[in-house]
Amino acid sequence: MLFAGYFGPFGGRFVAETLVPALEELDRARQEVLPTQAFQAELHGLLQSYVGRPTPLTEAKRFARRIDPDGEAIAELLLKREDLCHTGAHKINNALGQLLLAKAMGKTRIIAETGAGQHGVATATAAALLGLSCEVYQGALDMERQAPNVARMRLLGARVVPVASGSRTLKDAMNEALRDWVTNVRTTYYCVGSAAGPHPYPTLVASLQRIIGDEARASCLDRGALPDAVVACVGGGSNAIGIFKAFEGDSSVSLYGVEAAGLGLETDKHAATLSRGRVGVLHGAKTYVLCDDAGQVIEAHSVSAGLDYPGVGPEHARLRDTGRATYVSATDTEALDAAREVARAEGIVIALETAHAFAALGPIARREAEARGRPARILVCLSGRGDKDLDTITAYGGGK
């Protein structure tokens, strides 16, 4: 990082002047409150007793043999089980940390945006636990395809606000949440769910999600060795940056992010921002963005609501350009196939976001095995469970 809030040339704070004091207040709290012993003790106490951390590693032997029958590419396939967290996804790590911070800052009202609903559910859960009012903006299309999570948020006491503008997905929900924040900035805390947005959000979210990587790294060492490669799905990129950060200094460990290729990278129906995007500004940060020749943001597409976003966290942009991480993609069909195969091989129903990471494992393992001259040890971040995606998976034929 060259300057605060920048990751190389990416990141920064490109927002309306009205929001600058609120972002500066948040950054002060991040630096002064977050590191204190009292805050960390309360957060880690809740992560253990309420969220269920540490989450385990599970070896996926049967799925490994399905994609590598002869064992020539995969020596060991380990899953970091964030699906076993309370609320069923890694999002609760960040929501709980941010809402504790909001309470310390004296904020009484919480707003959030959500795509697949997992961040919305996590925020509504943390708000209920801490006695804070909560409103969640969600695209109308996402509300239709993630109806179970809408019901969960409402049951937890949150007000879910449908957003009917634009593509009616995560991008539009984030626009509306920012408008709300500008209007109510004195009393309201905006809980951002991904490692995206203006400074200090990318740094704050990454620091709260780093627990995924720290636990996984320690568990791998307990088993005898670091993995050869770490793989995670990337939309905005919070689960990926959370697990990557603990391994970034290990030069022997390759890092792979998997984006949503939708109907194919040769079409205009995908969400592969790092593979097909250009450098631009979206939601307050300079990063890679899907846009047209005139620089206008274009709609992203993915069967997974959580990956359906035309931008990406700025730290991923730096990791891409420096070559420290490699970003590949998987299509809707490949992800749906992977979700079905993981369920039948391992007895785990994975979220469609995570299914993209599993769909890319075969090529990644072969690449690593060829480079190392031996089968590779692979670690995958299983970012969430797939209950919310059952209608989509079943409609595709996954239930047959």
Side-chain angles (χ1 to χ4, degrees), residues 89-109:
H90 72 291
K91 295 291 188 182
I92 189 67
N93 307 321
N94 168 61
L96 198 53
Q98 285 202 49
L99 265 58
L100 282 174
L101 196 59
K103 198 164 184 177
M105 294 166 65
K107 304 296 183 182
T108 57
R109 176 175 177 261

Side-chain angles (χ1 to χ4, degrees), residues 114-117 137-151 153-154 160-170 303 305 387-392:
T114 194
Y137 288 89
Q138 187 171 25
L141 176 61
D142 288 340
M143 287 181 70
E144 292 173 11
R145 55 183 179 176
Q146 301 293 341
N149 274 341
V150 175
M153 286 184 274
R154 287 172 171 162
V160 183
V161 183
V163 177
S165 59
S167 59
R168 303 182 299 148
T169 59
L170 179 58
V303 70
D387 312 40
K388 64 187 178 58
D389 296 317
L390 283 180
D391 287 348
T392 303

Side-chain angles (χ1 to χ4, degrees), residues 340-394:
R340 180 174 54 192
E341 291 302 312
V342 171
R344 295 183 178 183
E346 300 295 340
I348 302 172
V349 177
I350 59 174
L352 284 177
E353 289 84 355
T354 312
H356 287 74
F358 282 88
L361 280 181
I364 289 172
R366 289 190 288 275
R367 173 177 172 164
E368 287 294 315
E370 183 177 351
R372 297 171 189 274
R374 57 169 174 76
R377 298 183 303 276
I378 310 289
L379 171 65
V380 180
C381 186
L382 205 168
S383 61
R385 69 188 188 210
D387 312 40
K388 64 187 178 58
D389 296 317
L390 283 180
D391 287 348
T392 303
I393 296 170
T394 302

